[in-house]
Amino acid sequence: MKASGFGRHAHRGALATAALLALVTSGAAYGAEPDRAAIQAQVTQRHDAAVKTLQDWIALPSIAAEDLNAKQGAEYMAKLAREAGFQHVEIVKTKGKPGVFATLDAGAPTTVGVYFMYDVKQYDPAEWSSPPLEARIIDKPGLGKAMVGRGATNQKGPELAFLIALQAIRDAKQKMPVNLVLVAEGEEEIGSPNIADLVLRPDIQAALMKSIGVFMPMGLQAPDGSVTVNLGAKGIVELELIADGNAWGRGPAKDVHSSLKAMVDSPAWRLVKALDTLVSEDGNTVVIDGFPKPLPLTAEERAMIAKTVAARDEATARKSLGVPRWIDDLPWGKANERLVSQPTVNIEGLVGGYTGVGGKTILPYRAVAKIDIRLVPPMTRDGAVAALKAHLVKRGYGDIAVNVSGGYDPTTTDAKSRLIQAQLAVLQHSGVEPLLWPRLAGSYPGFVFTQPPLSLPSGHFGLGHGGGAHAPDEFFLIESSNPKVQGFDGAVMSYVDYLYELGSTTSGPAAAN
């Protein structure tokens, strides 16, 4: 998962938000059926083994961008699902990396979908304070003991915590409260280009159609213990823009000596000039011709943001990100409104010519910009790509190749859905006052669940804390020194509670979502 750290009238919006939170008290009695102490005992008993399993999983990185360990990653994911009690587990071929489909039939009236990713982002060991595949447990001041490794928080730590919850329920001889349908992919980190091959295979689609919604395990707690419940996520397009002398018909067809720049055009400079047309002078606003316009924030959404921002410490956020100030020196609240509501064009990397030690006087024939575009409703992946291509042609850069590697539309889920209401109930019963957030700034392929033909609620849930997703020293908290923040075992129990809460209401299909 590509995650972010900050997750029609104002009066009416605030009242609506309060009403949504109040709805959580209307369901069945919380946690009435299971012997929670017996389940907790199982979680505690298997703690060391679970930590070792997480270390083993981290030691097997599946990196789609590098074509690394896809087969092995899918097989390990399938093994974990079987160990957790899924009766049917199947590795599913797609046009890209394999997926995993699994079902757990508990004979329950309620079925819940679960989305996993088994792939992780690339890493450079030289940038890490400890080897990224060794998953060492280190002391993090102010937090406790944390496991440092690629995939620790994004997403293997939370996902394994969910699987351990299933084992603990089973071995405590408690009734599983819901049926489960699991889909796991190995291409999330390259924009999920083949997620539909997995999710919309007729039998898998039929299994998911029986569910009340689909959620992804995630450690949602901030360092202070607060939790934000996201009601959607931004979409994304991942692509490369390529300027090449051969395609352009100008500049060199191969790298040449840089002294020739006085008489030979530069594809690298052409790419730079083309990139400059995509954004405003400061690089912060998308100005692509014909690019879809974002919807304005509603009063209710602004009220959600204001409440959440008031509960968060701006100085802590800046320090954790290493950011001295926000765009345009915006105040904390306005910066978060922008985070939720605005699309972005981001340069992930620029590659061209010589990038080694020292200099090398060449004029490169080719230059590449690695780009991600974040989308908000009502934008679509296809609409954004079409606008970008038309813009480049219109501005005279039609020779620049646009190679899309993946991406998907943004998502929105109704706060009144059972999937979200159960989250609010569990958090409140755990002593955490939940904060509603309109849209996660990061992205995940929830569109395949929220859009037709499935049209299901989709979101994220889980206690626990992690950080550094996609960055060096990624970590997931194992033993917390703050009683308000859950370690690994607490994260496990949050999934136990969530599953029982989801199973506590047995409305018919018409009311399921």
Side-chain angles (χ1 to χ4, degrees):
M1 179 202 145
K2 301 168 177 66
S4 170
F6 295 131
R8 292 222 190 228
H9 303 290
H11 178 62
R12 290 171 57 192
L15 288 175
T17 300
L20 288 173
L21 294 173
L23 280 174
V24 302
T25 61
S26 62
Y30 172 79
E33 297 86 356
D35 183 343
R36 195 175 187 277
I39 298 172
Q40 177 72 72
Q42 285 292 328
V43 172
T44 301
Q45 178 180 318
R46 67 185 64 241
H47 174 87
D48 291 345
V51 168
K52 179 62 167 59
T53 299
L54 181 54
Q55 290 173 320
D56 291 344
W57 198 7
I58 288 173
L60 178 64
S62 297
I63 303 176
E66 297 178 352
D67 197 25
L68 179 68
N69 293 332
K71 179 176 180 293
Q72 298 90 328
E75 290 172 347
Y76 197 85
M77 180 70 254
K79 172 179 174 289
L80 292 175
R82 291 188 190 98
E83 290 173 351
F86 285 87
Q87 299 105 335
H88 172 84
V89 181
E90 174 186 355
I91 294 177
V92 179
K93 290 183 178 180
T94 73
K95 290 188 288 291
K97 312 305 179 193
V100 176
F101 165 54
T103 57
L104 191 160
D105 185 356
T110 298
T111 298
V112 177
V114 187
Y115 166 76
F116 272 27
M117 53 182 279
Y118 67 81
D119 63 317
V120 299
K121 208 65 174 174
Q122 305 96 305
Y123 57 88
D124 180 355
E127 298 176 342
W128 290 61
S129 63
S130 65
L133 301 185
E134 288 189 10
R136 293 178 183 173
I137 296 179
I138 58 98
D139 288 316
K140 289 192 76 69
L143 291 175
K145 295 185 181 298
M147 186 179 295
V148 175
R150 176 53 84 225
T153 193
N154 182 28
Q155 209 72 34
K156 292 178 177 179
E159 289 174 348
L160 185 66
F162 174 78
L163 295 175
I164 296 300
L166 303 185
Q167 294 182 25
I169 293 171
R170 177 195 62 202
D171 294 346
K173 304 189 184 315
Q174 300 300 297
K175 179 69 175 174
M176 188 68 65
V178 295
N179 311 311
L180 296 171
V181 179
L182 170 70
V183 287
E185 68 160 324
E187 297 180 310
E188 198 278 343
E189 295 292 9
I190 60 170
S192 305
N194 300 295
I195 186 70
D197 290 357
L198 172 64
V199 172
L200 300 184
R201 198 180 77 175
D203 59 325
I204 300 176
Q205 178 182 324
L208 286 166
M209 283 292 290
K210 298 175 183 176
S211 74
I212 62 168
V214 181
F215 86 97
M216 182 182 194
M218 187 172 180
L220 291 174
Q221 286 191 284
D224 63 0
S226 63
V227 176
T228 299
V229 174
N230 299 296
L231 301 180
K234 287 186 176 181
I236 191 172
V237 184
E238 292 196 86
L239 57 88
E240 291 182 339
L241 297 181
I242 304 173
D244 187 300
N246 296 284
W248 185 16
R250 304 183 66 88
K254 61 181 181 180
D255 291 356
V256 298
H257 197 281
S258 67
S259 63
L260 296 172
K261 180 63 192 76
M263 60 187 294
V264 178
D265 289 308
S266 167
W269 274 115
R270 181 164 181 76
L271 179 62
V272 169
K273 296 298 184 181
L275 290 170
D276 194 44
T277 70
L278 305 182
V279 293
S280 56
E281 185 67 24
D282 59 9
N284 293 333
T285 302
V286 180
V287 295
I288 296 171
D289 297 321
F291 197 78
K293 301 297 182 185
L295 293 174
L297 289 170
T298 65
E300 183 177 350
E301 289 170 332
R302 290 183 189 278
M304 290 181 195
I305 294 168
K307 181 177 180 180
T308 301
V309 165
R312 289 178 172 169
D313 182 64
E314 180 180 9
T316 299
R318 286 183 174 181
K319 181 179 179 181
S320 66
L321 294 170
V323 176
R325 56 183 60 86
W326 311 119
I327 282 176
D328 297 329
D329 291 322
L330 289 173
W332 180 226
K334 291 297 182 183
N336 277 276
E337 287 186 0
R338 199 178 194 286
L339 180 72
V340 167
S341 65
Q342 294 304 301
T344 57
V345 173
N346 176 60
I347 299 174
E348 300 174 355
L350 292 170
V351 183
Y354 179 70
T355 59
V357 178
K360 185 179 181 183
T361 50
I362 61 168
L363 193 168
Y365 81 97
R366 188 175 188 268
V368 179
K370 296 180 180 292
I371 301 290
D372 65 67
I373 303 174
R374 300 280 175 172
L375 309 173
V376 296
M379 300 171 183
T380 64
R381 170 192 182 275
D382 292 345
V385 172
L388 173 62
K389 290 180 176 179
H391 169 92
L392 291 172
V393 171
K394 179 180 177 181
R395 297 299 184 97
Y397 297 103
D399 58 281
I400 291 182
V402 180
N403 291 348
V404 178
S405 59
Y408 34 80
D409 300 348
T411 69
T412 300
T413 287
D414 191 341
K416 297 184 179 123
S417 68
R418 284 177 62 187
L419 199 75
I420 300 300
Q421 287 296 306
Q423 294 184 17
L424 300 179
V426 170
L427 293 171
Q428 288 188 328
H429 284 287
S430 299
V432 177
E433 183 60 32
L435 300 166
L436 290 173
W437 191 251
R439 182 162 295 102
L440 185 69
S443 305
Y444 83 113
F447 82 101
V448 76
F449 308 118
T450 61
Q451 292 182 1
L454 288 173
S455 301
L456 293 167
S458 183
H460 302 77
F461 182 73
L463 294 181
H465 174 70
H470 295 194
D473 292 342
E474 178 181 353
F475 73 92
F476 190 64
L477 195 60
I478 301 299
E479 296 178 17
S480 176
S481 60
N482 180 351
K484 293 183 179 180
V485 180
Q486 296 300 320
F488 185 84
D489 289 1
V492 173
M493 289 304 298
S494 74
Y495 297 116
V496 171
D497 293 337
Y498 187 42
L499 292 176
Y500 278 99
E501 185 64 33
L502 286 167
S504 68
T505 303
T506 56
S507 304
N513 293 346

